[in-house]
Amino acid sequence: MTAPVFVVERMPTGPEFVLDGPEGRHAVSVKRLKPGEELVLTDGLGHWADGVVRAAEGKDRLTVTVRATVQEEPVPEPRITVVQALPKGDRGELAVETMTETGVDAIVPWQAARCITQWKGERGAKALTKWRSTAREAGKQSRRVRFPEVTDAMTTKQVAALLAAADLAGVLHEDRDHDSTPLANAELPATGSIVLVVGPEGGVCPQELAAFAEAGARPYRLGRSVLRTSTAGTAATALLLGRTGRWG
């Protein structure tokens, strides 16, 4: 089993490091790490260091012996971004969790025209915080050291600008009769960025499709079945990671 991952605000600068606070409490009281057990310290931005527990103190503090200098995981290419229309209920957190575990690089919340869920004011701020917290916890659980960025919610105009700057831009379309290409057959860039839009349960409206097409995005389909908005991004990410060789 791979060593558990713990997030730190600052990476170690010496041979010893004290892990305390919520992460220390999780290590001691939940994971019940003992002296001699291994762990990984990361800032979630790609920097990481292997360590071994030297001592456990109380319920929320570990002294860690850092075994080597801090390393940095290369930025993966091509970068995969999923623009996720806001699902109902807790399906947004489900989408973020599974996309993070799969390996997506960035998640963009999108207030599509047909979204039932509305991110406004304090409610929107709380929902965004929850998505970011979910990405952080899922990143730890899946032993990642570079967590996905969860951006501020974007409008359709902002999403169109994001698509226009991508090396491959696409919209996942659920209509088999629509002039769409299987994502499995798309010509993928070796570097740069891939941006895919996942619409809401009610679908992407014609005006949004037109705006995205004008930005250079093509319609793609995943297969014969229609996936929920909360699972389509995960399936697409897995397909792209396999095809680009990032899962190789």
Side-chain angles (χ1 to χ4, degrees), residues 119-130:
W119 280 13
K120 294 181 179 179
E122 185 178 347
R123 178 182 179 182
K126 286 183 178 179
L128 179 59
T129 297
K130 197 166 186 178

Side-chain angles (χ1 to χ4, degrees), residues 27-78:
V28 175
S29 301
V30 179
K31 290 293 188 180
R32 299 185 182 278
L33 295 185
K34 305 295 183 185
E37 292 191 273
E38 298 180 347
L39 51 74
V40 173
L41 302 173
T42 183
D43 58 4
L45 301 174
H47 303 99
W48 61 280
D50 285 323
V52 177
V53 177
R54 186 175 67 79
E57 304 163 20
K59 296 181 179 180
D60 61 356
R61 183 183 176 95
L62 286 179
T63 300
V64 178
T65 299
V66 181
R67 298 198 300 188
T69 58
V70 173
Q71 302 180 61
E72 182 174 6
E73 181 183 89
V75 176
E77 288 198 281

Side-chain angles (χ1 to χ4, degrees), residues 159-161 163-165 169 171 206-219:
V159 170
L163 291 167
V171 181
Q207 294 82 2
E208 292 165 338
L209 283 173
F212 296 158
E214 187 175 349
R218 294 185 56 185

Side-chain angles (χ1 to χ4, degrees), residues 85-93 115-117 201 228-230:
L86 307 181
K88 296 180 291 184
D90 61 358
R91 289 190 175 274
E93 289 88 71
C115 285
I116 295 175
T117 299
E201 298 289 0
R228 284 183 176 272
T229 184
S230 53

